[in-house]
Amino acid sequence: MAGFPLDPMLSKMIVASDKYKCSDEVISIAAMLSVGNSIFYRPKGEQVHADHARMSFHTGNVGDHIALMNVYNSWRETNYSTQWCYENYVQAINKAITSGFFSHSARLQNYGSYRTVKHPWIVHIHPSSGLADNFPRWVVYHEVVLTTKEYMRNVTELKPEWLVEIAPHYYQMKDIKDA
């Protein structure tokens, strides 16, 4: 549990989830809990719409944890759509899912964009990064922020084989092979 970048209670929840064969779901919920109350946002003048959108994930009188799973499943069903996030007043789901679970890696695509290795979304190196104009083939990053695009911040170049070496429980050779 000490190796998880999470609150000990969330780490324990992840460890225990293996016994119940629900690790994927628990990891998603733990990731969203790890960013605090910032999954949903309530812009001025749209609070009623935002509250309605948030409550729609509670259909069937489910609790908050299951509602978070509903958020993730709905987002996944839209192929991780940014537009879906705007329409549902969801803001930090990318940050939640990418924070701390070894999925902070991306491969260079066309036109200077990057595709994250474990999730199918396109990100860019933040203009403030020292690597913004270098376009290394593979990078790891600390966080993704959404402004006009989804930007990776605190970016470092890496060799893709390091991913398999450091996190063999998460990455396989097929993840890093050139397409």
Side-chain angles (χ1 to χ4, degrees):
M1 288 180 5
F4 292 147
L6 294 170
D7 174 272
M9 188 169 60
L10 294 177
S11 298
K12 176 65 175 168
M13 183 173 75
I14 290 171
V15 170
S17 70
D18 184 55
K19 178 179 179 182
Y20 301 101
K21 307 296 184 225
C22 60
S23 294
D24 289 342
E25 293 85 356
V26 168
I27 287 171
S28 297
I29 292 168
M32 288 189 279
L33 289 171
S34 73
V35 295
N37 292 323
S38 62
I39 292 292
F40 295 100
Y41 66 101
R42 298 177 76 225
K44 272 191 173 180
E46 297 183 43
Q47 291 95 335
V48 172
H49 296 295
D51 291 345
H52 179 71
R54 181 177 46 82
M55 290 309 294
S56 71
F57 296 106
H58 286 268
T59 301
N61 291 327
V62 299
D64 295 329
H65 294 93
I66 300 303
L68 288 174
M69 194 68 243
N70 291 340
V71 168
Y72 177 76
N73 287 337
S74 295
W75 181 55
R76 186 181 62 207
E77 288 170 9
T78 67
N79 200 26
Y80 309 98
S81 165
T82 301
Q83 182 62 36
W84 178 90
C85 290
Y86 288 125
E87 292 168 2
N88 289 280
Y89 300 90
V90 172
Q91 69 176 351
I93 195 163
N94 277 352
K95 180 179 178 182
I97 298 303
T98 62
S99 65
F101 294 102
F102 303 104
S103 59
H104 299 234
S105 59
R107 180 189 322 199
L108 181 64
Q109 302 294 297
N110 297 329
Y111 311 111
S113 64
Y114 287 79
R115 183 178 185 276
T116 56
V117 177
K118 284 291 195 173
H119 298 285
W121 63 78
I122 301 299
V123 292
H124 300 81
I125 295 178
H126 195 275
S128 66
S129 170
L131 294 178
D133 296 324
N134 294 354
F135 304 112
R137 273 190 74 218
W138 286 84
V139 296
V140 292
Y141 55 91
H142 177 68
E143 66 181 347
V144 173
V145 294
L146 176 61
T147 58
T148 56
K149 297 179 182 177
E150 294 187 33
Y151 285 109
M152 299 176 286
R153 285 212 282 205
N154 300 310
V155 178
T156 300
E157 184 174 9
L158 83 149
K159 294 181 180 178
E161 57 270 14
W162 293 350
L163 297 171
V164 177
E165 181 180 334
I166 293 169
H169 57 285
Y170 192 75
Y171 290 103
Q172 299 172 5
M173 288 303 291
K174 68 179 178 141
D175 295 323
I176 65 168
K177 292 287 185 200
D178 287 329

